[in-house]
């Protein structure tokens, strides 16, 4: 093979299509039984994208983007999975995808300049290039709790949701975790179950989605000039929401009335662009405090029980942990069948056969939903068992953190590419846009190598060191490093604390373009 691609989510599918267009032979190995990546696994109730559907979609084919009809502003998981299936069928992708194919190792051979990919069943394939399209949030974090093996009920993880669904009728349910997954699932589970106990270690800031069916007239107007709509989005920091520009003033400088006007407007509109009301919310603590306090007051105005309302008010900087978008989350705590248990001071003590004990009190439970997130950005890459030049494993190379060049490559790992890897804007963007950028760069780079008789591309150590310094420098100008988020790896015990994604999509794109135009500056190309 020219290219072995790992993962058949949105990144792997487009990578395969792009390879074919460039005349490269390629095969995709996918551990799941179907396409869709994160949307294949995350089937929990309420799972839905928080990027508007007209943006969270491919733009490489005008016909595709014209013919596909999204039904809601924010698409549900089943609808996104149907879209992924549609794309796979429309571009005849499945004939080059091997499903239920778990990659156990990928090893570089310096003498042949080839990579060998080994599957769990022992099958091996050699290829000139490897593209890891494994997703940023695809390695479930399943913390163990004392006594959980004695629990007589069922334990499920949002990121590995049973395909047949879970019936909560008449059950006492625990949800552990209040990030995006928990916050999406909690309102739906509360409606279905007998009693829901939410176990919260850290409160999250969440903004209402105000989801609704898509207005056909709006869809027609976007589709009448889709490319301009896409181009505007790509010029924003998060490659998203070009129609709602970021405010031009500082939240620390406006009057109380102006602050309230801007934030009320953004709250009423809903969604992730809430934080763009002012131009400095993520770089100026005083500004962030004012925005955060406004949301804290909002929580108090929605949640009737004052003690619960207080527990639901996050203490962190708003936006430090990824902002969540919800449908009826805070309102759910006004239901008589929902209670909140605070773990911030006292963690879960143990599981018993019939419940969960915190601070000496047992909460009776039949089903436990772990909404405990992922070993983000590096977890799935490290699970591939990658070994590069001189027998050095990726795990060793990343011992102190995921060093990389442009978030696309790693020194010591020639002809190996990552899509939305650490060091790229990835999770701080509409990831479909980042995926497109990376896929097209990787394909054109391979074509460039072939056209110029180069067999090998590898980031130099110097270029990698400068890139890592650049990413750290940008992150340190923001408020992102001020809390324990998965962006920093802080949710996984023992993981190096490094801010992994790079804020700012447009600047990233220009930097990558400059590297390419400058004869792949920072890379060694070997004839
Ligand atoms: O995971 P998370 P997620 N005991 O890591 C808690 C994307 N996404 O699956 O904050 C008790 O955010 C943990 O507590 P703490 C999106 O990018 C998108 O919800 O570490 N609690 C936290 O509350 C998102 O950010 C959508 O103190 C424990 C929670 O579990 C990312 O995926 C939907 C614990 C984990 O929250 C991850 O979201 C869903 C323990 N031992 C996800 N361990 C969209 O809408 C962990 N927690 C597109």
């Amino acid at each position: 093979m020219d290219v072995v691609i790992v993962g058949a989510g949105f990144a792997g599918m487009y990578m395969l299509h792009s390879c074919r267009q460039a005349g490269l032979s390629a095969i995709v190995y996918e551990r799941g039984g179907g396409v869709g990546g994160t949307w294949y696994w995350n089937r929990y109730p309420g799972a839905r994208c928080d990027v508007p559907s007209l943006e969270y979609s491919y733009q490489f084919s005008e016909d595709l983007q014209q013919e596909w009809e999204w039904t809601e502003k924010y698409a549900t998981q089943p609808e996104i999975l149907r879209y992924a299936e549609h794309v796979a069928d429309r571009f005849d992708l499945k004939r080059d995808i091997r499903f239920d194919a778990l990659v156990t190792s990928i090893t570089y051979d310096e003498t042949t300049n080839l990579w060998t990919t080994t599957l769990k069943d022992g099958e091996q394939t050699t290829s000139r290039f490897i593209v890891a399209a494994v997703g940023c949030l695809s390695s479930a974090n399943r913390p163990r709790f004392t006594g959980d093996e004695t629990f007589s009920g069922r334990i499920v993880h949002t990121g590995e949701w049973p395909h047949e669904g879970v019936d909560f009728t008449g059950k006492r349910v625990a949800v552990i975790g209040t990030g995006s997954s928990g916050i999406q699932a909690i309102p739906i589970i509360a409606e279905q179950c007998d009693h829901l106990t939410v176990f919260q270690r850290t409160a999250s800031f969440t903004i209402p989605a105000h989801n609704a069916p898509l207005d056909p007239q709006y869809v027609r107007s976007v589709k009448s000039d889709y490319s301009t709509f896409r181009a505007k989005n790509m010029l924003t920091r998060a490659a998203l929401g070009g129609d709602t520009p970021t405010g031009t003033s500082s939240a620390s400088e406006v009057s109380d009335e102006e602050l309230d006007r801007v934030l009320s407007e953004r709250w009423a509109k809903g969604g992730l662009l809430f934080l763009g009301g002012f131009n400095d919310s993520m770089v100026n603590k005083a500004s962030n405090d004012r925005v955060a306090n406004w949301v804290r007051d909002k929580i108090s105005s929605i949640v009737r029980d004052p003690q619960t309302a207080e527990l639901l008010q996050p203490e962190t900087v708003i936006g430090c942990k990824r902002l969540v978008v919800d449908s009826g989350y805070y309102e759910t705590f006004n239901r008589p069948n929902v209670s909140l248990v605070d773990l911030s001071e006292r963690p879960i003590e143990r599981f018993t056969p019939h419940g969960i004990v915190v601070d000496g009190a047992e909460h009776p439970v039949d089903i436990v939903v772990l909404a405990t997130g992922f070993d983000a950005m590096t977890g799935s890459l490290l699970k591939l068992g990658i070994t590069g030049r001189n027998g050095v494993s990726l795990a060793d190379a990343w011992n102190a953190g995921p060093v990389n060049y442009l978030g696309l490559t790693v020194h010591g790992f020639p002809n190996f590419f990552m899509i939305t890897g650490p060091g790229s804007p990835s999770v701080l963007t509409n990831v479909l846009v980042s995926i497109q950028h990376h896929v097209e760069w990787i394909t054109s780079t391979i074509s460039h190598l072939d056209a110029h008789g180069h067999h090998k591309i590898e980031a130099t150590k110097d270029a990698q060191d400068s890139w890592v310094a650049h990413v750290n420098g940008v992150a340190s100008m923001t408020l992102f490093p001020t809390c324990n988020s998965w962006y920093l790896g802080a949710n996984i015990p023992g993981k190096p604390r490094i801010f992994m994604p790079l804020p700012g999509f447009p600047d990233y794109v220009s930097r990558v373009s400059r590297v390419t135009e400058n004869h792949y500056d920072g890379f060694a190309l070997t004839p």
Side-chain angles (χ1 to χ4, degrees), residues 44 48 50 177-181 184 201-202 321-322 371 373 486:
Y44 60 85
R48 186 187 283 286
D50 57 10
T178 50
S180 298
S181 305
Q184 285 188 331
R201 188 164 70 182
T202 312
K321 282 177 181 257
R322 189 180 180 283
W486 58 255

Side-chain angles (χ1 to χ4, degrees), residues 63 86-87 109 187 189 248 308 312 324 329 389 434 467 507 521:
D63 287 347
H86 169 75
V87 173
D109 180 344
I189 296 174
T248 50
T308 307
L312 288 169
V324 180
Y329 178 66
R389 257 192 316 106
S434 284
W467 186 255
D507 182 63
D521 190 21

Side-chain angles (χ1 to χ4, degrees), residues 114-193:
L114 291 174
W115 288 89
T116 300
T117 300
T118 306
L119 303 184
K120 191 170 176 221
D121 66 9
E123 189 182 309
Q124 294 193 318
T125 308
T126 53
S127 62
R128 298 197 291 140
F129 299 95
I130 297 288
V131 179
V134 290
C136 298
L137 295 152
S138 46
S139 183
N141 171 35
R142 270 185 169 269
R144 295 299 307 264
F145 299 95
T146 306
D148 59 6
E149 73 288 352
T150 68
F151 182 61
S152 61
R154 194 161 178 205
I155 303 179
V156 283
H157 191 288
T158 48
E160 295 171 341
W161 201 256
H163 285 203
E164 69 283 6
V166 179
D167 184 4
F168 294 106
T169 318
K171 302 287 188 201
R172 295 163 305 178
V173 182
V175 172
I176 302 176
T178 50
S180 298
S181 305
I183 285 176
Q184 285 188 331
I186 282 164
I188 314 273
I189 296 174
E191 281 170 10
Q192 296 173 1
C193 72

Side-chain angles (χ1 to χ4, degrees), residues 250-262 278 290:
S250 160
S252 65
E253 286 168 5
V254 295
S255 65
D256 286 349
E257 292 71 30
E258 179 60 4
L259 185 94
D260 186 54
R261 187 191 67 74
V262 171
F278 296 97
R290 285 190 86 195

Side-chain angles (χ1 to χ4, degrees), residues 111-346:
T111 54
T112 59
N113 190 33
L114 291 174
W115 288 89
T116 300
T117 300
T118 306
L119 303 184
K120 191 170 176 221
D121 66 9
E123 189 182 309
Q124 294 193 318
T125 308
T126 53
S127 62
R128 298 197 291 140
F129 299 95
I130 297 288
V131 179
V134 290
C136 298
L137 295 152
S138 46
S139 183
N141 171 35
R142 270 185 169 269
R144 295 299 307 264
F145 299 95
T146 306
D148 59 6
E149 73 288 352
T150 68
F151 182 61
S152 61
R154 194 161 178 205
I155 303 179
V156 283
H157 191 288
T158 48
E160 295 171 341
W161 201 256
H163 285 203
E164 69 283 6
V166 179
D167 184 4
F168 294 106
T169 318
K171 302 287 188 201
R172 295 163 305 178
V173 182
V175 172
I176 302 176
T178 50
S180 298
S181 305
I183 285 176
Q184 285 188 331
I186 282 164
I188 314 273
I189 296 174
E191 281 170 10
Q192 296 173 1
C193 72
D194 181 42
H195 188 87
L196 172 65
T197 310
V198 176
F199 292 83
Q200 172 188 277
R201 188 164 70 182
T202 312
S204 294
F205 281 104
T206 170
I207 308 300
H210 300 309
N211 186 39
L214 271 170
D215 172 7
Q217 207 178 326
Y218 173 65
V219 174
R220 268 198 302 279
S221 83
V222 169
K223 287 191 173 182
S224 70
D225 189 4
Y226 223 140
S227 56
T228 301
F229 176 79
R230 301 282 198 185
K232 257 202 277 180
N233 296 333
M234 287 177 71
L235 291 176
T236 70
R237 286 182 68 74
L240 127 92
D243 281 340
T244 311
T246 300
T248 50
S249 45
S250 160
S252 65
E253 286 168 5
V254 295
S255 65
D256 286 349
E257 292 71 30
E258 179 60 4
L259 185 94
D260 186 54
R261 187 191 67 74
V262 171
L263 295 181
S264 298
E265 221 170 71
R266 295 257 165 177
W267 184 270
K269 191 161 185 181
L272 293 171
L273 299 177
F274 176 81
L275 267 187
F278 296 97
N279 64 10
D280 61 350
S281 306
M282 282 313 294
V283 291
N284 178 346
K285 179 72 166 59
S287 290
N288 192 288
D289 282 346
R290 285 190 86 195
V291 176
N293 283 334
W294 188 94
V295 178
R296 290 184 188 113
D297 288 347
K298 201 80 189 168
I299 297 168
S300 287
S301 73
I302 300 171
V303 180
R304 286 198 286 271
D305 174 51
Q307 205 187 341
T308 307
E310 199 181 324
L311 286 175
L312 288 169
Q313 292 174 28
E315 287 168 7
T316 54
V317 154
I318 183 167
C320 184
K321 282 177 181 257
R322 189 180 180 283
L323 199 61
V324 180
V325 176
D326 72 278
S327 295
Y329 178 66
Y330 293 125
E331 291 81 352
T332 299
F333 290 90
N334 292 332
R335 294 177 64 99
N337 70 333
V338 175
S339 45
L340 181 64
V341 175
D342 174 30
L343 304 177
S344 61
E345 312 258 304
R346 292 174 193 80

